[in-house]
Amino acid sequence: MEERARSCLLRSKATLEQDIKASYLMDHMVSDGILTNDEESRVLGKPTRREQAAALLEVLLRKDNRAYISFYNALIRESYGDLANLLHSDLPLLSPEGERSFADGVSPSGNHLDMYELVFKGGLNEMLEFCVFILVQVILSEGGVPQRPVVFVSRPALLNLIRERLYRLQNTPGWVTVFGMAGSGKSVIAAEAVRDHALIKECFPGGVHWLSVGQCERADLLVRMQSLCFRLEQGQSSEASQRPPCSVEEAKERLRFLMLRRFPRSLLILDDVWDSSTLRSFDIQCRVLLTTRNRGLADSVSGTSFEVPVESGLDEEKGLEILALYVNGKPQKLPEQARSIVSECKGSPLVVSLIGALLREFPDRWSYYLRQLQKKQFKRIRKSSSYDYEALDQAMDASLQVLEPEHRDLYRDLSIMQNDVKVPAKVLSVLWDLELEEVEDVLQELVNKSLLFRDCNQRPYHYYLHDLQLDFLIEQNRDQIAELHKKLVRQYQQFYNERPPSSGDIDCSYWYRFLPYHMAKAGLSKELYSLMFSLDWVKEKAQFMGSAHLINDYVEYGEILDKENSEVRLQFQEFLSLNGHHLEQKPFPDVVQLALSQPACSEVYRQALMQAQKRASRGQLYMDWVNKNNQDSLSRLVMHPHQGSVYYAGFSKDGSKIASCGANKALRVFKTTSGEKLLELQAHDEDILCCAFSPDDRYIATCSSDRKVKLWSVEQGTLIREFGEEHEEQINHCQFTNTGRRVLLATCSNDKFTNTKLWNPNKPTSQNTMFGHMEPVNHCCFSPNDAYLATSSSDGTLKLFEVSSANEWKSIDVNSFFPESDDEIKAIVKCSTWSADGSWIICAARNAVFVFDVKTSDMLLEMKTSRLSTVQYCHACPNSSLLAVALSHYTVELWNFETSKKKAECNGHLSWVHCVQFSPDGSFLLSSSDDQTIRLWETDRVHTSSAAALKRDSDVLFSQSDVTIVAPDSRNRLQVRTGLAGAVVFESEELPSRIRCTCISRNASLVALGTENGTVQVLEVPSGKTSQMLTGHTRTVHHCQFTDDGETLITSSEDTTVRVWKWRTGECLVLEGHKEPVRKFQLLNKSTSSHLFSWSFDGTVKVWDLNRGQMLQDLECHKGAVLSCDVSSDGRLFATTSADRTAKVYSSASWEMTFLLKGHEDCVRSCRFSWDNKRLATGDDNGEIRLWSMLDGALLKICSRDTKDSMDSFHGGWVTDLHFSPDNGVLVSTGGYIKWWSVETGEALQTFYTMGANLKKMHVSADFTTFVTVDSIGILYVLKKVEGGSV
């Protein structure tokens, strides 16, 4: 039933149920053959009249248009004229002419009895036949099916074959693929096949819907799908109208709903489909007829599939008929040369059409074209294809001979085009040095003569050669190909000599994608070096194409580039590999600023510094990382494949591909070398927890929290098998056997008993279930020889099963190695891995990794990681004794599992690391994280464990052009560094208690530190001599600060007190009053140091007289914890921020609140007054910064990005610190990275991306030119503002 008719019944349902008497109406509908006696009996079996009416309507809604019309006529006959009026406007009209033809039959209520009743009664056969013809035309026209072309030749056998296949879709969704060579008439024959009333009535009463697909990028595909959705939703009520779908996936789901719910028995025709990824977007369980050149395209989708080949050659009769139509003649009256032409080209539809198009303009050239076919002997193009290449060569040459000489030369230039690449006319305008309008005229002539194809779905039009035409041109011009490529490059250089192509240029995407290709083909090595060793090119291409395309260029043309300078090529490639995830962000980052983080010896850095200095002279802001060195621990490649946590990533068996999966329910496959995406599938309905390549790399298995296991084809991206749902809980892990001798897939889940299964990939049900664990199994892995399967469980055990029998072989109680564990809370065994020879089994639990002898089950080694972290995953290198360990504190560690020594650390992730995997040859290491990235590390290049990272509890002293930094390191030593390079001048011994805060005196001769056990030490610099050990705090010391004269040291602690020390004598003044930990304090007047502010999680701010130790004010400022406080430079105001999402401003004179600042949607973490005291900046945990007026408390600006970043924040995390420039024009903030803002506009001026995240504080020099901070992975950043000038 048509959707508008169905909707009308649904809208009128309540009224109809209330008024009609079903028994009266059903008599007529049974007579019409619409209802069966059984259906009538079921309706009459309902107890009340209203329930009978409701049951009748439910029956009608499951039927077709005839039921609606029969019901309408029954209402008329039973004098329900008012109810019939409700249905009349939505009657499925056969045609306007048909309605007028029967306009005389009008009911007393004014309704047309017209054709609806007459059709059912079988009268007026001639009119009925006409109406049926019109009905088919209307249905096809409404569905967008193209009309029959002027040059049309009937092919009854092919038509009948297509219709026979379509009839097979009558009762089930499926696919009918019409395939054949270009120009063989697939689209025409597909449209003709559905011009059949019986076919539409019996198989597709819901209509026929045509969509021209063609070769299209994903964005173009979305536009086509949006158009189809819009067409299908026409006629719906305004309430049913929806916004256009915003993604291909959303459009696919919208189409699935429309085709299943509103058009359940309709046919979707997809014309000219080129690739499987496009076709999968229409895998929506409906009936589909598709035309394509690719016979195997339907293999990429699910459901029943039927094929209809379109022959490449016509018989003589049909060939003559086509020629006759082109010249407006009759086949029997064509000259004798016509038969010879058809014979010479072997009936190729494309060749016949080419010559037919030529004859239309020159109808007296029959003999000429025949001679061209007969005497030209071209070398046969040898390529696996169903086309007759010899005939095509001859037709091609015959077509070229009629071109004007200058056009023939222009057509020759098309030899440099690539297969399946569509070129905008503007590119050819540059190549030919002609006005765009002239080029379009030439191209129109070529299209008219079937020498070129035009994609009319793109605006402006794009043009392309059939691959056979391109092969022909290349063969004909083989000796000139390099010169033709060189011509294109020279023309490009001349046209774009002043500026590169921009987004306003319609040809820009072509140049950025293919200019290196043309240079390489032309042998222009110098030009290729100049292009690809240019930071400007990197910036422009990355902005248009993304980083993966660029990386791929450096890999593909690496051999050429290395002849010039292999080091520079590697420098550019590494820059892109490590910053590719930034280059995918919107808005696009400043590439020059990113490049300033490269090593000083890098060509990338040299170019960036030159550009930064030039731009700085014009007022732009750039920061140079002056203390950077070669970061050997940096990953080789950083990818951002998923929006959401990446739970698993693994190598293919040959190491060339990486598959990843995660919280966004998608499976993605990409190149190991560049990160270029090869495949992306929405594979499951819930989070995908694991994926695994088969031993031959042809398939990938996925498992999910939706309790499903699926098998996918890597090459085609199609679902091969969905295994039976035998697991009742989420499936945590899956792995194939290591060898192809007997391929099995193992899965493990959260089931209580049936939690480990073995599957034969060729069968839908499991082959074996392994019993033994009584709690969830988190991980499973086969031994190197596939004889055993190791399982790791939440029950605290590691079990080994025999694969052949599925019997438990050994069980190791890992929980027993944690004596502190109680019986109820067992140590969860997260995962296990085998040594290369299979003699050892290694497993991870809590913060430890254990190595066991497989034969004896004896523990050989134990490796303990940080007590503050848990091991998430471990994997043994396949050819060494290295073990990779993924930790919850964002780090990957490498251990030697034979010596139990840590060998290296891989820092860079910004959140929990879920998975690590070595490549098959052990040269690379892959890690995936909650930070939505995958990092590829070179095993031999990561940091050794001797390198100690700094902690973020730092203090900095700026003096003239020098800087002194004091901070603890990862070995709990205190380091003092000096100079812009951050050279170490002092390093203490390891302290027994963790250092939690540090400070340095104004003359840089003293440093103080506070520890976790409450001890405070004062040390001399640079000797490191301990001047004083201060005890008194009973818990962690959170903050410490010297007064300006260096004689007094103030500390605050977890023990709720603030202590004021005369540190030389040990005399102490204790400030008590807070009820919760005091995280920080601030001196109201640093020069006199007389008053002190302290704030606490108890929501209060307290003001103290340091001289007398008295509390001057006790202000209950917030209901939540006070997170920060700042005092204005004149001391008249102070501000507080809180977890209650507010900030408050108080007067220091009256101690009354002056302003209550509301608007933040998360905890307000930081605040800072401007130096002129006219503004207050506040930052929250959502990454948002607000600027407030201190004149009236009004909101002035909100500083934030347009969209949240990968960490679901506007600033990569909490805004932890804020500083104004001395002129109050610029604001710097720290969060997940560092940003500088214009105070006037609220817009970002610059962003510096640190290697780690979660910056705690920023130290800023008085002149606002030097910035110092430490990130979460312990890297020190001394940033210096780039000044204008020359290098």
Side-chain angles (χ1 to χ4, degrees):
M1 186 180 295
E2 285 184 6
E3 183 53 27
R4 64 174 187 169
R6 182 191 299 274
S7 298
C8 182
L9 280 179
L10 292 172
R11 289 196 307 271
S12 309
K13 192 169 183 287
T15 304
L16 293 169
E17 288 176 0
Q18 182 176 344
D19 293 340
I20 66 173
K21 191 166 183 179
S23 59
Y24 292 170
L25 300 174
M26 285 193 295
D27 290 340
H28 301 286
M29 300 178 74
V30 171
S31 299
D32 287 339
I34 297 300
L35 292 181
T36 65
N37 291 329
D38 288 340
E39 289 172 331
E40 182 183 29
S41 299
R42 285 199 297 273
V43 171
L44 293 176
K46 301 296 180 182
T48 66
R49 181 186 61 80
R50 184 157 190 158
E51 288 177 340
Q52 290 176 0
L56 173 59
L57 291 173
E58 288 297 324
V59 172
L60 293 180
L61 287 169
R62 293 195 294 269
K63 295 183 177 289
D64 58 13
N65 290 338
R66 297 187 309 121
Y68 187 100
I69 297 170
S70 178
F71 180 64
Y72 170 82
N73 287 330
L75 289 172
I76 296 294
R77 293 178 188 128
E78 291 299 332
S79 300
Y80 289 110
D82 54 336
L83 297 180
N85 269 334
L86 296 175
L87 308 186
H88 180 264
S89 61
D90 291 302
L91 280 165
L93 298 174
L94 297 184
S95 71
E97 293 82 3
E99 185 166 328
R100 285 196 298 271
S101 299
F102 294 91
D104 295 334
V106 181
S107 69
S109 60
N111 293 291
H112 293 289
L113 295 175
D114 54 38
M115 65 187 131
Y116 300 114
E117 185 172 356
L118 294 172
V119 167
F120 281 111
K121 298 304 181 183
L124 300 177
N125 289 333
E126 297 80 6
M127 185 59 72
L128 177 60
E129 183 178 342
F130 173 75
C131 290
V132 166
F133 171 77
I134 295 298
L135 174 62
V136 171
Q137 293 294 93
V138 170
I139 291 173
L140 298 185
S141 177
E142 289 179 348
V145 179
Q147 295 183 357
R148 184 181 292 163
V150 176
V151 179
F152 173 76
V153 176
S154 178
R155 300 155 84 172
L158 184 57
L159 277 176
N160 291 335
L161 182 58
I162 296 175
R163 287 170 180 166
E164 185 270 329
R165 297 289 192 269
L166 289 173
Y167 266 103
R168 298 191 187 186
L169 304 183
Q170 184 173 8
N171 298 314
T172 181
W175 307 78
V176 173
T177 303
V178 178
F179 66 91
M181 64 176 289
S184 59
K186 300 182 297 294
S187 302
V188 174
I189 204 70
E192 191 64 24
V194 294
R195 288 190 178 89
D196 184 271
H197 177 255
L199 178 68
I200 294 174
K201 176 182 175 182
E202 296 174 30
C203 299
F204 314 114
V208 179
H209 310 287
W210 182 285
L211 183 67
S212 296
V213 179
Q215 263 186 309
C216 57
E217 300 292 338
R218 197 167 180 82
D220 299 322
L221 176 61
L222 176 59
V223 172
R224 290 161 172 72
M225 297 176 77
Q226 287 173 335
S227 174
L228 180 58
C229 289
F230 178 81
R231 191 197 312 162
L232 294 176
E233 290 170 344
Q234 290 302 294
Q236 305 303 310
S237 61
S238 59
E239 293 80 12
S241 63
Q242 303 182 49
R243 62 169 177 78
C246 298
S247 68
V248 170
E249 290 75 20
E250 183 183 350
K252 179 179 178 180
E253 291 307 310
R254 181 86 62 85
L255 288 175
R256 187 195 308 276
F257 171 84
L258 290 169
M259 298 302 286
L260 291 180
R261 299 293 181 86
R262 297 183 179 175
F263 301 93
R265 295 188 64 201
S266 62
L267 178 67
L268 176 61
I269 302 179
L270 301 176
D271 182 44
D272 193 24
V273 181
W274 282 69
D275 59 77
S276 57
S277 62
T278 299
L279 188 60
R280 287 195 296 275
S281 300
F282 297 93
D283 191 358
I284 54 177
Q285 298 177 346
C286 68
R287 296 158 176 82
V288 180
L289 170 65
L290 69 102
T291 68
T292 180
R293 294 170 47 199
N294 187 344
R295 179 177 184 175
L297 209 57
D299 295 339
S300 65
V301 292
S302 57
T304 307
S305 178
F306 306 99
E307 292 183 348
V308 179
V310 178
E311 61 271 25
S312 59
L314 303 172
D315 59 27
E316 183 181 272
E317 180 181 350
K318 298 298 180 185
L320 292 175
E321 190 175 350
I322 289 177
L323 290 174
L325 289 169
Y326 269 110
V327 298
N328 296 318
K330 294 182 179 181
Q332 58 270 27
K333 293 189 177 181
L334 292 177
E336 185 59 33
Q337 293 93 331
R339 293 182 185 276
S340 300
I341 288 174
V342 174
S343 175
E344 284 290 331
C345 71
K346 301 180 179 65
S348 168
L350 183 58
V351 176
V352 172
S353 297
L354 285 169
I355 295 180
L358 296 169
L359 287 166
R360 172 176 283 172
E361 294 189 16
F362 306 99
D364 57 346
R365 290 191 176 181
W366 291 94
S367 297
Y368 173 76
Y369 293 133
L370 175 59
R371 287 196 306 274
Q372 297 304 309
L373 285 174
Q374 289 173 335
K375 70 182 181 180
K376 295 295 182 181
Q377 300 297 324
F378 298 110
K379 181 180 178 182
R380 187 178 178 87
I381 302 174
R382 302 192 179 277
K383 183 178 178 183
S384 176
S385 177
S386 58
Y387 305 140
D388 187 338
Y389 280 64
E390 186 175 16
L392 178 62
D393 290 346
Q394 295 170 354
M396 278 292 305
D397 191 70
S399 301
L400 289 177
Q401 298 308 313
V402 301
L403 288 175
E404 297 177 8
E406 58 269 26
H407 287 179
R408 201 178 308 149
D409 292 339
L410 296 178
Y411 191 71
R412 179 201 59 189
D413 291 344
L414 302 183
S415 305
I416 62 174
M417 293 174 68
Q418 288 183 279
N419 278 335
D420 301 330
V421 174
K422 299 174 182 177
V423 181
K426 180 65 179 299
V427 170
L428 300 176
S429 173
V430 173
L431 171 62
W432 294 336
D433 195 21
L434 296 173
E435 293 290 335
L436 182 60
E437 291 76 11
E438 293 181 74
V439 171
E440 290 173 341
D441 290 342
V442 173
L443 296 176
Q444 180 64 49
E445 181 181 353
L446 297 176
V447 170
N448 289 341
K449 289 181 168 57
S450 300
L451 289 169
L452 193 67
F453 293 88
R454 178 175 60 205
D455 180 5
C456 298
N457 294 313
Q458 299 190 58
R459 293 290 189 274
Y461 294 144
H462 282 51
Y463 299 85
Y464 61 99
L465 288 168
H466 188 283
D467 56 354
L468 299 182
Q469 295 169 324
L470 181 58
D471 287 344
F472 166 79
L473 281 176
I474 292 174
E475 185 67 24
Q476 292 296 302
N477 302 292
R478 185 168 300 280
D479 296 338
Q480 305 175 57
I481 291 297
E483 284 301 316
L484 293 176
H485 281 284
K486 187 180 293 184
K487 174 183 176 182
L488 177 65
V489 174
R490 297 301 185 212
Q491 289 297 110
Y492 166 85
Q493 292 171 332
Q494 181 177 338
F495 191 86
Y496 289 107
N497 63 335
E498 295 182 359
R499 62 167 183 84
S502 66
S503 57
D505 299 312
I506 58 178
D507 58 337
C508 63
S509 62
Y510 181 88
W511 295 120
Y512 285 121
R513 186 174 181 183
F514 296 114
L515 185 58
Y517 163 79
H518 291 298
M519 287 181 171
K521 289 293 184 182
L524 298 173
S525 302
K526 295 292 184 184
E527 286 81 354
L528 187 63
Y529 306 152
S530 176
L531 182 75
M532 298 195 63
F533 293 165
S534 163
L535 193 60
D536 289 331
W537 173 257
V538 167
K539 171 195 167 187
E540 297 297 337
K541 180 161 183 173
Q543 192 161 4
F544 279 102
M545 310 296 298
S547 61
H549 278 279
L550 267 168
I551 297 171
N552 201 59
D553 284 349
Y554 287 101
V555 173
E556 185 170 349
Y557 308 118
E559 187 175 343
I560 301 173
L561 297 173
D562 286 352
K563 292 177 181 178
E564 172 70 12
N565 194 320
S566 60
E567 288 187 10
V568 173
R569 195 264 301 173
L570 283 172
Q571 289 165 2
F572 274 91
Q573 187 173 330
E574 289 183 2
F575 167 63
L576 289 165
S577 298
L578 299 176
N579 291 279
H581 57 305
H582 295 312
L583 297 175
E584 302 292 337
Q585 293 182 0
K586 302 296 181 186
F588 191 73
D590 190 322
V591 172
V592 171
Q593 181 61 68
L594 286 176
L596 285 173
S597 294
Q598 296 303 291
C601 60
S602 167
E603 173 66 16
V604 179
Y605 171 78
R606 189 191 69 79
Q607 292 186 28
L609 185 59
M610 289 181 63
Q611 293 193 28
Q613 290 174 336
K614 185 177 181 180
R615 297 179 187 182
S617 63
R618 301 196 299 264
Q620 288 184 256
L621 187 64
Y622 284 94
M623 296 294 155
D624 189 10
W625 182 9
V626 294
N627 71 312
K628 63 179 175 285
N629 48 33
N630 292 323
Q631 297 289 333
D632 291 334
S633 68
L634 292 182
S635 41
R636 173 182 173 132
L637 184 64
V638 183
M639 292 158 281
H640 189 281
H642 300 277
Q643 292 297 322
S645 299
V646 186
Y647 294 138
Y648 191 88
F651 289 97
S652 60
K653 295 299 186 288
D654 65 5
S656 66
K657 293 183 282 291
I658 295 170
S660 66
C661 58
N664 72 336
K665 311 167 192 175
L667 169 69
R668 192 167 181 179
V669 181
F670 39 89
K671 290 182 181 179
T672 302
T673 53
S674 67
E676 184 179 356
K677 183 176 70 176
L678 301 174
L679 176 67
E680 185 171 14
L681 297 167
Q682 284 299 121
H684 286 267
D685 297 327
E686 296 181 24
D687 295 5
I688 306 177
L689 303 181
C690 188
C691 57
F693 281 96
S694 62
D696 59 5
D697 289 334
R698 294 175 59 199
Y699 306 104
I700 295 178
T702 57
C703 64
S704 165
S705 54
D706 65 9
R707 307 183 302 281
K708 294 178 181 177
V709 183
K710 298 182 180 182
L711 188 66
W712 305 87
S713 165
V714 176
E715 181 178 356
Q716 297 176 342
T718 55
L719 179 65
I720 302 298
R721 175 166 288 103
E722 181 175 326
F723 295 98
E725 291 189 36
E726 299 185 19
H727 288 291
E728 296 180 357
E729 300 291 339
Q730 75 172 29
I731 304 170
N732 297 315
H733 196 77
C734 62
Q735 189 188 17
F736 279 101
T737 46
N738 297 296
T739 63
R741 291 192 299 270
R742 183 189 177 205
V743 179
L744 293 173
L745 175 69
T747 60
C748 58
S749 73
N750 281 357
D751 291 302
K752 189 151 183 83
F753 302 109
T754 58
N755 41 38
T756 307
K757 291 180 177 289
L758 291 178
W759 309 78
N760 183 329
N762 297 316
K763 296 180 180 179
T765 57
S766 64
Q767 178 169 300
N768 269 318
T769 300
M770 295 171 167
F771 296 96
H773 291 292
M774 304 298 287
E775 295 290 340
V777 178
N778 305 305
H779 182 272
C780 58
C781 61
F782 287 97
S783 60
N785 62 1
D786 296 327
Y788 303 103
L789 181 74
T791 56
S792 308
S793 172
S794 298
D795 63 12
T797 67
L798 168 70
K799 294 183 184 291
L800 305 181
F801 292 88
E802 291 179 338
V803 173
S804 58
S805 65
N807 292 329
E808 182 179 322
W809 181 48
K810 292 181 183 293
S811 181
I812 301 173
D813 185 4
V814 180
N815 185 65
S816 65
F817 296 98
F818 295 93
E820 71 277 9
S821 296
D822 55 41
D823 293 335
E824 294 185 4
I825 305 177
K826 295 184 180 296
I828 296 173
V829 185
K830 295 297 289 279
C831 64
S832 59
T833 181
W834 298 79
S835 61
D837 61 2
S839 62
W840 291 359
I841 183 74
I842 306 162
C843 73
R846 293 188 178 172
N847 68 327
V849 177
F850 300 94
V851 182
F852 297 96
D853 185 281
V854 172
K855 289 184 178 180
T856 65
S857 300
D858 294 336
M859 187 186 77
L860 304 176
L861 292 169
E862 178 182 2
M863 293 166 274
K864 280 284 183 77
T865 63
S866 168
R867 64 181 179 82
L868 300 175
S869 186
T870 58
V871 180
Q872 300 296 306
Y873 203 91
C874 63
H875 189 239
C877 184
N879 56 11
S880 74
S881 58
L882 279 181
L883 177 76
V885 179
L887 298 167
S888 61
H889 70 263
Y890 316 168
T891 303
V892 176
E893 295 180 350
L894 293 182
W895 291 69
N896 184 319
F897 61 79
E898 292 181 348
T899 63
S900 189
K901 292 183 184 277
K902 186 166 75 169
K903 303 294 291 181
E905 283 186 2
C906 308
N907 295 309
H909 281 296
L910 310 181
S911 190
W912 283 29
V913 183
H914 285 291
C915 174
V916 283
Q917 284 280 313
F918 281 102
S919 61
D921 63 2
S923 61
F924 293 112
L925 179 67
L926 196 63
S927 59
S928 55
S929 166
D930 270 347
D931 67 8
Q932 306 183 21
T933 67
I934 294 171
R935 289 179 177 258
L936 187 68
W937 316 80
E938 286 190 70
T939 309
D940 296 334
R941 290 187 59 195
V942 296
H943 268 312
T944 62
S945 57
S946 61
L950 293 181
K951 295 296 185 181
R952 294 171 294 169
D953 305 302
S954 60
D955 193 22
V956 174
L957 177 67
F958 296 97
S959 55
Q960 297 178 353
S961 60
D962 201 8
V963 58
T964 304
I965 302 141
V966 56
D969 65 20
S970 56
R971 296 184 181 180
N972 207 40
R973 302 173 303 188
L974 185 70
Q975 289 192 18
V976 179
R977 302 188 181 191
T978 187
L980 295 180
V984 177
V985 296
F986 166 70
E987 189 174 81
S988 73
E989 298 294 325
E990 289 188 23
L991 272 67
S993 182
R994 181 184 172 192
I995 303 172
R996 295 300 301 270
C997 62
T998 60
C999 67
I1000 188 168
S1001 64
R1002 289 292 297 271
N1003 61 8
S1005 63
L1006 299 169
V1007 295
L1009 61 89
T1011 64
E1012 209 162 62
N1013 65 5
T1015 302
V1016 178
Q1017 289 188 43
V1018 180
L1019 297 90
E1020 295 179 3
V1021 177
S1023 68
K1025 177 184 176 182
T1026 300
S1027 294
Q1028 192 64 267
M1029 182 81 71
L1030 305 173
T1031 58
H1033 283 299
T1034 59
R1035 299 179 69 181
T1036 300
V1037 181
H1038 286 300
H1039 186 54
C1040 57
Q1041 182 179 334
F1042 284 104
T1043 54
D1044 286 351
D1045 59 10
E1047 297 300 316
T1048 302
L1049 177 66
I1050 308 169
T1051 59
S1052 64
S1053 168
E1054 188 87 10
D1055 64 11
T1056 74
T1057 69
V1058 177
R1059 290 178 177 259
V1060 183
W1061 309 84
K1062 296 296 183 182
W1063 64 269
R1064 295 188 187 276
T1065 65
E1067 180 184 348
C1068 177
L1069 195 62
V1070 182
L1071 309 181
E1072 296 180 293
H1074 284 293
K1075 297 178 181 178
E1076 292 193 37
V1078 184
R1079 293 295 175 126
K1080 206 169 181 183
F1081 55 83
Q1082 184 170 341
L1083 293 170
L1084 179 60
N1085 190 323
K1086 293 184 179 180
S1087 60
T1088 61
S1089 305
S1090 58
H1091 289 173
L1092 177 140
F1093 283 76
S1094 63
W1095 56 93
S1096 165
F1097 280 12
D1098 61 14
T1100 67
V1101 172
K1102 302 187 189 302
V1103 185
W1104 310 87
D1105 185 325
L1106 293 187
N1107 296 324
R1108 294 178 295 168
Q1110 291 182 347
M1111 184 190 303
L1112 300 179
Q1113 293 292 330
D1114 186 1
L1115 304 174
E1116 294 186 7
C1117 298
H1118 295 274
K1119 294 181 180 179
V1122 178
L1123 301 178
S1124 70
C1125 183
D1126 190 41
V1127 181
S1128 62
S1129 60
D1130 59 10
R1132 298 174 59 188
L1133 299 174
F1134 68 92
T1136 61
T1137 69
S1138 170
D1140 65 10
R1141 305 183 182 182
T1142 67
K1144 295 182 180 180
V1145 180
Y1146 289 84
S1147 165
S1148 299
S1150 65
W1151 307 111
E1152 297 291 332
M1153 183 177 70
T1154 305
F1155 303 120
L1156 171 62
L1157 309 178
K1158 293 183 176 181
H1160 284 287
E1161 298 179 358
D1162 213 327
C1163 300
V1164 188
R1165 181 72 49 180
S1166 55
C1167 64
R1168 186 75 63 177
F1169 282 100
S1170 60
W1171 291 101
D1172 61 7
N1173 306 311
K1174 293 181 180 179
R1175 297 178 181 85
L1176 177 73
T1178 57
D1180 66 22
D1181 287 1
N1182 195 35
E1184 186 176 86
I1185 298 169
R1186 291 176 173 243
L1187 294 171
W1188 311 85
S1189 168
M1190 290 297 96
L1191 299 177
D1192 55 7
L1195 176 65
L1196 299 174
K1197 295 289 180 184
I1198 298 178
C1199 306
S1200 64
R1201 292 176 48 150
D1202 296 333
T1203 57
K1204 292 189 178 185
D1205 56 29
S1206 62
M1207 298 303 291
D1208 196 32
S1209 164
F1210 291 111
H1211 207 306
W1214 302 347
V1215 179
T1216 53
D1217 204 0
L1218 298 159
H1219 293 271
F1220 281 92
S1221 62
D1223 63 2
N1224 305 295
V1226 179
L1227 177 72
V1228 63
S1229 60
T1230 57
Y1233 33 79
I1234 310 167
K1235 293 189 78 70
W1236 288 261
W1237 309 87
S1238 165
V1239 173
E1240 181 179 354
T1241 65
E1243 295 178 356
L1245 300 175
Q1246 193 52 268
T1247 302
F1248 184 91
Y1249 292 99
T1250 52
M1251 302 299 176
N1254 303 329
L1255 305 176
K1256 195 171 183 178
K1257 64 177 79 170
M1258 169 68 77
H1259 306 277
V1260 182
S1261 64
D1263 60 1
F1264 210 69
T1265 61
T1266 308
F1267 306 84
V1268 180
T1269 189
V1270 178
D1271 68 14
S1272 59
I1273 60 177
I1275 297 177
L1276 172 67
Y1277 300 87
V1278 180
L1279 306 180
K1280 190 76 175 173
K1281 181 181 175 183
V1282 176
E1283 301 295 341
S1286 60
V1287 179

